[in-house]
Every structure is written in structure tokens, then in C-alpha cells.
Amino acid sequence: MIPNERIDHLERLLEVVRGLTTAPDLESFLQTVISEASEMTDSELASILEYDDAAKELRFLAMQWFQRDLLRPMGVPLDGSAAGWVYSKGQALIIQDTKADKRHFKTVDRVTKHTTHSIAAVPLIVSGEVIGVLEALNKKDDAHYTEEDLTILETLGAIAAQAMRNISLARKVRVARIELAELERLKTDFIAITSHELRTPLGLILGHATFLRELAGDEFADQLDTIVRNATKLKDIVENLSDVDNFQTGAARVRSNKVSMAKIVEDAILTFQDDAKSQNITLKAELDGLPFFIEADGIKIGIAVSNLVKNALQFTNAGGHITVKVEEDSGYTKVAVSDDGIGIPVKDLVRVFDRFFQVEGHLTRRSGGMGLGLAVAKSMIDLHNGRIWVESEEGKGSTFTFLLPIEKAGKPAASSASPFVDQ
């Protein structure tokens, strides 16, 4: 190849590479590839075949426009065809005389009414995997294909293969997104239906069981206490489901007023103090004697704090300690729930606030619940334009922290410094 011709080929190959980002679609790009393959190897025709895993054969993906209707429905077998040999072996192939080589698949010639005299073909390879074949047919003027022709085809083939893989990956991503959206819809529907359908019968069970507990004597007290205790647990689960559903559907509303974060924390401590004592766990608050007033929906913030304390109790061993600390930080109220429990594996930290996620395997978990408590806590904080995060070390404990603006959302904080931005 003379120098000027080599430069021309390099410039044309560069233009094909640019087409990876400028071509409107894969079909247009592959048409450019086979057009350049024909011209740069001085061939009559060129085509690209892609392996069809379902049919276990090759299918024409790009071909000359006048052969499109004839070749698209046609399959090329792996046995008894030059393209099949190239695909199976993962090697380039030159056939100078198809009459003397049994690997030529003559069915294509009969269908297209075209006679193939010679073939140069290369495998399309991406990350070591053969995904198709690029063929050039009939070198003009009865000339023979050369190693330079194969080099040109291999270069074009590598570009085409990457384009095909990119499209394939993009298609898989789209399918995955559709499936994920459908799963999310089903999960949301499940939450809505479950919370709605369980609320009324559960309320009746709990109400009647409580009534009977007051009337019954000591003989049935333990049994009725068991019913009330477990019905209350189910009630908590249903309320969590309802909270998540309201947040997801946008039905949740924040009714802000001036509330004391210290009072909210004290109420949560009081609620769980008996549980903590029964587990021999020390549960305390650090409030510095201040009320820590904020503009917020006290009920929703109370739910968040309660769920964080409850989570800490579930994963702290007997003799452990849980501390709820409140302090001000640059125009924000900062609440941290710390424990010296079992901690969270690093790989699970990014998912602890996901709905239904549970750190321990469902067969080996020692704690009850559906993995909604932390998701609900996060949704309550998010409703207030707050931020919540976790820091943990496995075997040493965890600290769940959230920040809430002291003033009502939409009003500027007293300080321009924000703990949401790294300084």
C-alpha cells in the first residue's frame, strides 16, 4: 500500500470512529461501516452478521440496501458457511475461490441471484467475546484479498462490534429500568393495599382483646396479654406501611408549629424505657437542659426519633448503652442516636434506609419487623427538608444522625454556613 493510500485509509477509519458519537442510530452507523469496508478493500459488497443466540445461527444485521428484504429473514448456519466458521473459530478467513471451498454458503447466492467468487471475513469481538462477523465479497478485477484487507476489516469490525455492544447494553439498561419501575409499582401497591386492608380488622382485634383483658380474670390474663402485645406489633407495622405509602404517593402533609425537640426525645425515651430495662440496656438523653425549639411537625419527628431508638434497641446486646443527644449546629438542630450494639457491615450502609431492607438475613434475624422503621424515619426527615445518615463500625455500634432546620422550611437559617455542604 502506497503512503498516500495508507493516509487516506487512516483518515477514513478516523471518520468512522467519529461516527460512533454522531450517527443517529446503529443501523446508519453499520451502513457506514460496510460501505467503507467495500470501498477500502475494493470489494463489490460487504455485510455484517450478528449471532442469534435463540436460533443458534447468524443473522444479517447490515447489508446493501437492494439485498435488505431478501437477507433480513435469512439465517446463516454455523456449520457449512464461511461466516459460521469465522464466528466459531474466532479467526479471520480469506477464500480466494468459493468454488473450491465447501465453507461457502451457496443459499445466499441463490436467494440474492448474486455470484460470490471470493470472501474476506473477520470476527466481531468485544471483551474477548465473538458477537458477529464482518464480510467483504468479490474483490474487484479478480484480484486476491490480502492481509492488508484483513487488517482494514478487523479495524472496522472492532469499531462495529463496540457500537453493537453499546446498543445491546443500552437496551438491557432500558429493560432493567422498565422492570425496576414495575417492581416499584407493585411494591407501592402492596404497601397501600396491605396498610388499608389490615387497619380495620386489626383495630377490632386490638380493641376487643383490650376490652376482654379488663373483664377477664387472672386465668386468661397471659393469653390476652399475648394477643394485645402481638396485635400492637402488627399495628406498628401497619402504621409504618401507611407512613411509607403516604410519603411515596405525596399524601403526607407537614403541619408545622413550634415544638421542642427536647420534649420529643424525652417522650421517646419514656416510651421505650421499660423495653430497655427489660433488656438490661441503658437508655438516656443528653439535652444540656435546653428545649431546642424548631418549626416542625412534632408528630412526624416523633415517629422518626421513636423508630431510631427502637432500631437501636433491636441491635444492642444486654448491658449495652443507647444515647440520644440533641444540639444546635449552624442554624440546624442535630439529633444523634448512638448505641454500642452489633454495628452494620460496610457493604450494607448504603441500603439501611431502603424499604424492606434488613441487615441480617431473614432466616437468621433475631429481630422482628419488616425493615420499614429506618425507611419511615428517613421519609419523615425528608418531609422537613432535613438530612439523615448513619455511621457504624461492625461490632462496635452505630450512630444515626439527622439535621433539621431550626426555622420553618423556606426561611433562611440564621447562619449562612450549611452542614449539608462540605466546607
Side-chain angles (χ1 to χ4, degrees), residues 4-257:
N4 288 342
E5 187 178 3
R6 186 182 299 275
I7 292 173
D8 177 64
H9 282 180
L10 290 174
E11 289 177 347
R12 296 178 72 164
L13 289 172
L14 181 60
E15 195 61 33
V16 174
V17 172
R18 290 196 184 102
L20 274 171
T21 56
T22 59
D25 51 56
L26 179 64
E27 184 175 1
S28 299
F29 179 73
L30 295 184
Q31 286 299 132
T32 299
V33 171
I34 63 172
S35 175
E36 293 296 338
S38 298
E39 293 184 23
M40 294 173 69
T41 61
D42 204 24
S43 302
E44 289 183 5
L45 303 170
S47 60
I48 291 175
L49 299 93
E50 182 180 34
Y51 182 65
D52 184 342
D53 188 56
K56 305 300 180 185
E57 61 184 8
L58 293 165
R59 294 276 183 175
F60 284 94
L61 186 62
M63 71 293 291
Q64 304 299 326
W65 65 269
F66 53 84
Q67 295 181 328
R68 193 168 301 161
D69 292 340
L70 298 173
L71 294 181
R72 277 207 186 280
M74 179 175 294
V76 177
L78 299 185
D79 295 328
S81 70
W85 186 94
V86 171
Y87 177 85
S88 300
K89 300 290 185 181
Q91 300 175 11
L93 173 67
I94 290 177
I95 298 178
Q96 305 292 10
D97 183 4
T98 57
K99 294 180 181 179
D101 198 308
K102 294 181 179 180
R103 289 172 293 187
H104 174 49
F105 186 56
K106 297 180 176 60
T107 303
V108 175
D109 286 357
R110 288 198 297 270
V111 170
T112 60
K113 295 180 173 56
H114 174 269
T115 302
T116 301
H117 303 291
S118 57
I119 301 173
V122 297
L124 304 182
I125 303 175
V126 179
S127 302
E129 178 187 358
V130 182
I131 63 172
V133 176
L134 170 61
E135 287 186 330
L137 308 179
N138 295 347
K139 194 165 179 72
K140 295 178 181 177
D141 300 325
D142 293 328
H144 285 186
Y145 283 112
T146 65
E147 290 298 321
E148 288 184 352
D149 292 325
L150 287 183
T151 299
I152 292 171
L153 292 178
E154 286 172 344
T155 303
L156 289 169
I159 300 170
Q162 190 59 57
M164 292 163 63
R165 175 54 57 89
N166 290 348
I167 293 297
S168 176
L169 291 175
R171 190 180 301 120
K172 289 179 180 178
V173 169
R174 284 196 298 271
V175 170
R177 284 177 176 169
I178 292 172
E179 292 176 348
L180 184 61
E182 178 62 14
L183 288 174
E184 189 66 22
R185 185 190 66 79
L186 291 173
K187 188 185 291 185
T188 300
D189 289 349
F190 165 76
I191 291 174
I193 293 171
T194 302
S195 61
H196 176 74
E197 296 298 330
L198 289 180
R199 187 184 298 276
T200 299
L202 186 56
L204 292 172
I205 292 171
L206 189 56
H208 285 285
T210 303
F211 176 73
L212 290 174
R213 175 67 181 86
E214 294 175 354
L215 294 179
D218 294 338
E219 182 181 357
F220 302 105
D222 289 343
Q223 290 86 343
L224 288 169
D225 283 344
T226 299
I227 293 174
V228 172
R229 184 170 59 254
N230 286 281
T232 301
K233 288 182 179 179
L234 284 175
K235 177 175 173 289
D236 291 341
I237 291 174
V238 170
E239 287 178 350
N240 279 338
L241 286 168
S242 180
D243 289 337
V244 170
D245 179 51
N246 289 337
F247 179 75
Q248 293 291 322
T249 59
R253 293 291 181 267
V254 176
R255 295 174 175 83
S256 293
N257 50 68

Side-chain angles (χ1 to χ4, degrees), residues 372-386:
L372 285 172
L374 294 178
V376 170
K378 184 178 187 304
S379 67
M380 296 299 104
I381 301 304
D382 288 346
L383 282 170
H384 289 77
N385 296 319

